Amino acid sequence: MDTGALVLELQEALGKVLRAAKQNSGRQDPVADYLLNRLRQRLPTHLHAHLGREVQVPGLARPKSWDLGLVYPEGPVRKPRLLLSLKSILANPSGSWPNRLDDLVGEVSSVQMLFPEVVVGYVAVLDYGAPTKRKGEYTYPVGDELRPL
């Protein structure tokens, strides 16, 4: 698949995420589908069956459901090899982003303590045009003020 087609496919997936209701628990599904398809194109075919959504992985405090994961081998000795967490920040980006980073640190440290060989990815869809809430008022970003995020 050429780069142009991949860009269009990703743009379409992101558009669906942005148009979905913020309360929709399946809002990230188009991006998840895009990533699953890309991973399947790059992984050996014998691993396709071990790649899936909502993968339950033990953690230090409690099990965590990762949005996408490759767990191989299956059975009594399950080893997560690749885990992806999908986030979308469609409102209050400057307030939400630090909280998502805190989530990331906790999620990654918990799983890597038990499975140090796991590869962890974090995919965040960030709306740079979303208003930020400060002192009870919403203000829209000006220029590159959200660039550090």
Side-chain angles (χ1 to χ4, degrees), residues 5-148:
L6 291 173
V7 169
L8 289 175
E9 189 180 339
L10 181 57
Q11 282 179 326
E12 184 179 321
L14 291 172
K16 288 177 182 176
V17 170
L18 294 173
R19 288 189 298 274
K22 291 176 186 168
Q23 303 83 1
N24 181 350
S25 62
R27 176 178 66 229
Q28 298 281 21
D29 287 352
V31 171
D33 290 340
Y34 173 83
L35 293 170
L36 282 172
N37 289 336
R38 293 292 298 134
L39 287 167
R40 284 191 180 110
Q41 290 173 6
R42 300 182 66 88
L43 287 171
T45 55
H46 75 280
L47 293 176
H48 290 190
H50 305 285
L51 182 65
R53 286 193 187 173
E54 298 301 321
V55 176
Q56 288 289 324
V57 177
L60 289 175
R62 62 182 174 85
K64 159 99 172 91
S65 179
W66 288 79
D67 295 307
L68 300 175
L70 174 67
V71 179
Y72 181 80
E74 296 284 348
V77 182
R78 298 186 58 183
K79 287 221 171 224
R81 304 300 182 167
L82 171 70
L83 299 170
L84 296 176
S85 183
L86 308 180
K87 305 290 184 210
S88 59
I89 300 170
L90 305 179
N92 194 22
S94 65
S96 298
W97 184 241
N99 293 334
R100 298 298 73 79
L101 287 177
D102 287 345
D103 294 345
L104 168 66
V105 170
E107 292 169 355
V108 171
S109 60
S110 178
V111 75
Q112 286 199 320
M113 292 292 283
L114 297 172
F115 306 99
E117 71 279 5
V118 71
V119 175
V120 176
Y122 204 70
V123 179
V125 176
L126 175 65
D127 183 354
Y128 276 94
T132 294
K133 188 175 184 179
R134 290 189 183 116
K135 299 180 182 176
E137 293 184 23
Y138 284 96
T139 58
Y140 285 87
V142 177
D144 285 340
E145 73 178 76
L146 295 179
R147 187 176 188 87

